Amino acid sequence: MSDTFLDTARRVIRAEADALGTLAEGLTDTFGDAINLLLNAKGRVIITGIGKSGHIARKIAATLASTGTPAQFVHPAEASHGDLGMITSADVVLAISNSGEAPELANLIVYSRRFDIPLLGITSVAGSSLGRECDVVLLLPRLGEACGTGVVPTTSTTMTLAMGDALAVALMEHRAFTPENFRAFHPGGKLGAQLSRVSDLMHTGDQLPLIAPSTPMSDALIEISRKGFGVVGIKDASGHLAGIITDGDLRRHMDGLLSLTAADVMTASPVTIAPGALAQKAVAMMQDREITSLFVMDPAGQPTPLGLIRIHDCLRVGLG
């Protein structure tokens, strides 16, 4: 039985992979027309579909919205009962139906034609009701479903999903959408953590442990304990970060420690990081050098430390 299940899984996956290859090879300049239609929208992309197409439509809407193209899913049945009011003349409608004949789409299609709202369709039948009414049609190859019976949406939904991803990425690249833009829409979870900047996690202002080079080590120890970071920065008369004192420095100078000054104990020219760097880079630097903190410095040359980031701050948000 196990072999039979594996055979089925491989057959389905290969069928869908082959379909995606056929879809890619069959794309024409119409895809560019679709992108231009979406780029010219002054409002949102309204995405609709029923059944399995509706589930795919929701995912496409979410992908577009998270990559810089305002988008919203509107259920076609709810549209017929008042939700048509969500769609404005500044929007573009993207309607999805493999057959192009889903009756639930009828009122929404009529509404888009009545109010001159651009209509983009994804279907496998150019001559269908949807295909005939669209301003631009993205045609899916008419291939059998991977279920083998031709009745369960499998291959067709995979191709539709891929087409939606292709639209989203093409729009994203045209707009030069950056990881920082992406993070703005993904502040939570692992994605948000991976794209966090040092400036998002660093400690600033009065929290910073900073002393002068001439500070007696007795006072330096008080500052280390008071700020609670296990380190202290040494700032010279001009405001530059001259050095840093860590637990390791303390251990190396235990003999007569209290008779020394901060300048005697510090490690000069410490490793620092810029506030705009990814926090993941800070983690890598700390792990590579086996340290737990980095002072944050302005790459433009501002001498005074802007902040301090610790490995604990990065671990707290899921990095490391």
Side-chain angles (χ1 to χ4, degrees):
M1 288 295 292
S2 179
D3 289 343
T4 300
F5 294 150
L6 283 173
D7 289 342
T8 299
R10 288 171 179 147
R11 185 189 74 242
V12 169
I13 292 170
R14 285 171 183 148
E16 297 195 359
D18 290 343
L20 291 176
T22 302
L23 174 65
E25 292 301 318
L27 288 176
T28 66
D29 290 343
T30 304
F31 185 84
D33 296 336
I35 294 296
N36 287 326
L37 197 69
L38 297 172
L39 285 173
N40 288 331
K42 294 181 173 59
R44 299 155 301 160
V45 180
I46 303 297
I47 308 179
T48 189
I50 196 72
K52 303 301 183 293
S53 292
H55 294 305
I56 298 299
R58 288 181 186 275
K59 193 275 178 185
I60 294 173
T63 300
L64 287 172
S66 68
T67 53
T69 299
Q72 177 182 342
F73 173 79
V74 172
H75 195 289
E78 296 295 340
S80 298
H81 294 275
D83 283 2
L84 283 173
M86 295 180 177
I87 308 171
T88 73
S89 58
D91 298 331
V92 170
V93 173
L94 169 54
I96 301 171
S97 171
N98 188 43
S99 68
E101 297 296 347
E104 294 85 357
L105 292 177
N107 288 335
L108 204 151
I109 292 172
V110 169
Y111 184 83
S112 73
R113 303 299 78 187
R114 177 183 175 188
F115 292 101
D116 246 358
I117 299 169
L119 180 61
L120 169 62
I122 298 179
T123 181
S124 64
V125 185
S128 63
S129 299
L130 175 61
R132 290 194 307 271
E133 295 297 333
C134 285
D135 298 295
V136 178
V137 180
L138 292 174
L139 283 175
L140 303 176
R142 299 189 69 175
L143 304 173
E145 301 289 2
C147 65
T149 64
V151 296
V152 180
T154 47
T155 303
S156 59
T157 50
T158 298
M159 289 191 294
T160 305
L161 184 61
M163 186 72 85
D165 287 343
L167 289 169
V169 173
L171 290 166
M172 185 175 118
E173 290 183 354
H174 177 82
R175 293 184 170 120
F177 195 80
T178 66
E180 182 61 31
N181 298 137
F182 190 74
R183 182 185 174 276
F185 298 123
H186 296 78
K190 191 68 174 178
L191 280 174
Q194 289 175 341
L195 294 170
S196 294
R197 300 285 176 179
V198 168
S199 57
D200 298 323
L201 304 178
M202 69 184 188
H203 302 269
T204 61
D206 292 339
Q207 294 178 300
L208 296 184
L210 294 169
I211 59 175
S214 59
T215 303
M217 280 306 300
S218 56
D219 292 339
L221 290 172
I222 293 173
E223 179 71 357
I224 292 173
S225 299
R226 188 165 67 90
K227 296 298 174 65
F229 296 124
V231 299
V232 65
I234 316 304
K235 189 170 69 169
D236 64 21
S238 62
H240 289 85
L241 184 68
I244 186 173
I245 296 176
T246 67
D247 288 341
D249 296 310
L250 296 177
R251 288 193 297 272
R252 285 188 289 273
H253 294 84
M254 285 300 294
D255 187 17
L257 179 65
L258 296 182
S259 66
L260 303 175
T261 66
D264 298 325
V265 177
M266 73 180 189
T267 295
S269 303
V271 176
T272 62
I273 193 165
L278 286 174
Q280 189 70 65
K281 180 181 179 182
V283 172
M285 289 173 64
M286 287 186 274
Q287 290 177 338
D288 183 57
R289 292 165 174 79
E290 298 183 348
I291 57 178
T292 60
S293 302
L294 287 171
F295 274 96
V296 183
M297 302 296 293
D298 182 0
Q302 172 66 31
T304 304
L306 300 176
L308 176 74
I309 186 168
R310 302 177 303 162
I311 192 70
H312 311 75
D313 304 315
C314 300
L315 294 175
R316 176 172 45 82
V317 298
L319 296 174

